[in-house]
Amino acid sequence: MPCYAPIADTLGGMSWLRALRETARSGLTVERQRLDPVIAARAALGLALVVGFSLAVFGPAVAASSAFGAFQAAIATFQRSWRPRPTLALASGASLAVSTFLGYLTVSHEPLFLALLMLWTFLSGLAWAAGPTAGMIASSNVAIMLVTVTLPSSVATAAGHAAMIFAGGVVQAALVVLLPVRPWGAQRDALADALAAEADYARRLRHDPVAPFDPLPLMHARSAAALTRGQARRRPAELHGARGLAERIRPVLASLADPAVGVPEEGPARARVREMLGATGSLLDAAAHAIRHGEPVDLPEPAVAALHSRDTLSLLHGPPRRAAIRLVALLGDVVDTAEPRTETSGHGATRPRPRGTVPPPGPAPPWSASRRSSW
C-alpha cells in the first residue's frame, strides 16, 4: 500500500488500526466535568415557565412545541462554548423555529420534505466542523423537526408554533441574563487550567529536566481569549493578559531546567533550580485558584521566599541566571494580573510598579502577603 506512505509519515508512523483504536478510546473516554446544579435549576425554571404559560393559554400542542424550543435552548447553554450563553439560546430557538415552519410547509409533499430533510442533515454534518455546540444544535434540529412538523394543522398554526418555539429560546436567554451563574466561568476555567498545567509542568521538571509539555490547555485558553467586541468590553480585568504570560513562562521553565543550557544535573545549582521550580508550581496554582473563583491571590510564603532566596544569583550564572530573573518577572506579572479588580477600584487599579519590572532574585523580595498587589 505505497499510496498511504505519506499519510503514515504524517501520522508519525501510526498504523490505521492503531489510529482507529486511539480514536475509539478517546471517543469512549468519560470526561468528568464539574456539576452545575444551579444552571440546571435555571434551565428547568425556564422550561416550566414556557410550558406552563403555553399550556394555560394555547393548549397541549403549542405547549409541546414551546417545550422543545425551551429544552433545546437550555441544552445549548450547557455546552462548553466561548460564545455568550444568551446568543446560544437565541440561535437554538430561532433555528428550530425555522426548521419547524419549513418542515410543515413541505411535509405534505413527500419528495420536497425528503429533500429538505437531506439538506438539513447535510448542513448539520457541516455544522460539526464549526464546533461541537453548532453541531449539537443542528443535529437536534433535524431530530426534533420530525416531531414538531406533526403538531400544526395549518400554515397559520405552523407559524404560531414556530413563534412559540422561538419564545422558548428567548425565555432561556432572558433567564441567563437576569439570573447569571458564574459569569465568564468557561473563560475563567480555561485560563485557570492553563496556569495549572504550567504548575504541573514546573513540578515535573524537578524530576525530569526534559519532561514534555501538553499544549492542549494553552490551546483551550487561546480559544477562550477570542472574544466578540461586546465581550471584550465586559471582560474582567483578571482575564486579560494572563494567557500570554502563561505561554511565555513555558519556554523559560524549560530553559531553566534543561541541563544542556548550563545547570549541571547534580549539585547546589540543580538543587536551587528544583526549589525554584517547586515554588513556581505553588505560585501558579495559587494564581489559577484565584482566577477560577475570582478571589484575591493567596501567596504561599514559602514559595515567595524560595523564589527570592539569596543563593539564586550566587549559584546560577549565564543563561540559567537570566532565565531565573525572567521567571521571577513573569510570575510577578501573573499574580498582578490575577488579582480581581475594577478600573475604578483602588485595589489593583494603581499598581505599585510597572509590569515586567520585578527586581531580580535577591535579599529584598517585593512580594508580601499583607500587600498582595505589590507584585
Side-chain angles (χ1 to χ4, degrees):
M1 300 173 62
C3 59
Y4 294 112
I7 301 178
D9 292 338
T10 303
L11 295 176
M14 180 183 293
S15 65
W16 287 109
L17 182 60
R18 182 184 174 189
L20 290 175
R21 186 168 60 251
E22 293 294 332
T23 303
R25 182 182 294 112
S26 62
L28 295 175
T29 301
V30 178
E31 295 185 1
R32 300 187 180 276
Q33 303 289 344
R34 59 177 295 167
L35 299 177
D36 291 310
V38 179
I39 297 179
R42 183 183 62 189
L45 174 62
L47 182 60
L49 291 175
V50 171
V51 173
F53 174 80
S54 56
L55 183 61
V57 177
F58 300 107
V62 176
S65 294
S66 62
F68 278 120
F71 175 76
Q72 178 166 295
I75 294 299
T77 61
F78 273 96
Q79 303 306 306
R80 185 173 183 178
S81 173
W82 316 123
R83 294 300 177 184
R85 304 299 173 183
T87 302
L88 296 177
L90 292 175
S92 176
S95 60
L96 183 57
V98 172
S99 300
T100 297
F101 185 70
L102 294 180
Y104 179 78
L105 293 180
T106 60
V107 71
S108 58
H109 306 282
E110 187 173 339
L112 286 178
F113 182 71
L114 290 177
L116 177 67
L117 190 60
M118 292 174 60
L119 176 62
W120 249 230
T121 305
F122 177 70
L123 292 178
S124 68
L126 293 181
W128 281 100
T133 302
M136 186 280 302
I137 294 175
S139 300
S140 299
N141 283 342
V142 177
I144 296 176
M145 181 182 68
L146 297 177
V147 178
T148 54
V149 295
T150 64
L151 299 176
S153 57
S154 65
V155 175
T157 56
H161 280 251
M164 289 303 299
I165 289 174
F166 180 68
V170 172
V171 170
Q172 293 288 7
L175 288 178
V176 171
V177 175
L178 297 175
L179 303 175
V181 179
R182 286 195 77 227
W184 299 90
Q187 285 81 2
R188 287 184 180 277
D189 289 341
L191 183 54
D193 290 344
L195 293 176
E198 296 273 6
D200 178 71
Y201 178 59
R203 282 187 287 267
R204 287 189 291 113
L205 287 176
R206 298 178 62 191
H207 309 287
D208 182 6
V210 292
F213 177 75
D214 182 10
L216 190 59
L218 288 180
M219 295 168 61
H220 285 164
R222 182 176 288 242
S223 299
L227 305 177
T228 63
R229 289 186 177 181
Q231 287 179 304
R233 288 193 297 268
R234 300 188 304 271
R235 175 174 53 181
E238 61 266 27
L239 299 184
H240 178 72
R243 177 194 56 83
L245 293 172
E247 292 182 350
R248 293 197 291 272
I249 285 177
R250 192 209 62 79
V252 175
L253 291 173
S255 62
L256 179 64
D258 193 352
V261 176
V263 178
E265 296 186 5
E266 297 296 338
R270 174 56 57 178
R272 176 87 276 272
V273 167
R274 291 194 181 107
E275 188 177 0
M276 291 191 69
L277 291 173
T280 298
S282 300
L283 214 62
L284 289 175
D285 278 338
H289 182 273
I291 289 177
R292 192 184 304 276
H293 300 283
E295 301 172 351
V297 182
D298 186 11
L299 295 179
E301 289 293 345
V304 173
L307 287 170
H308 284 277
S309 172
R310 298 171 178 266
D311 299 332
T312 301
L313 297 183
S314 59
L315 292 175
L316 302 182
H317 304 279
R321 180 175 181 173
R322 291 192 294 270
I325 295 174
R326 179 60 176 161
L327 178 62
V328 172
L330 289 174
L331 291 175
D333 287 344
V334 167
V335 174
D336 186 49
T337 303
E339 285 288 346
R341 60 189 183 274
T342 60
E343 294 300 325
T344 58
S345 66
H347 178 62
T350 303
R351 297 178 184 175
R353 60 166 186 85
R355 293 183 61 181
T357 59
V358 175
W367 309 331
S368 170
S370 60
R371 178 65 176 173
R372 291 184 175 89
S373 61
S374 64
W375 272 81

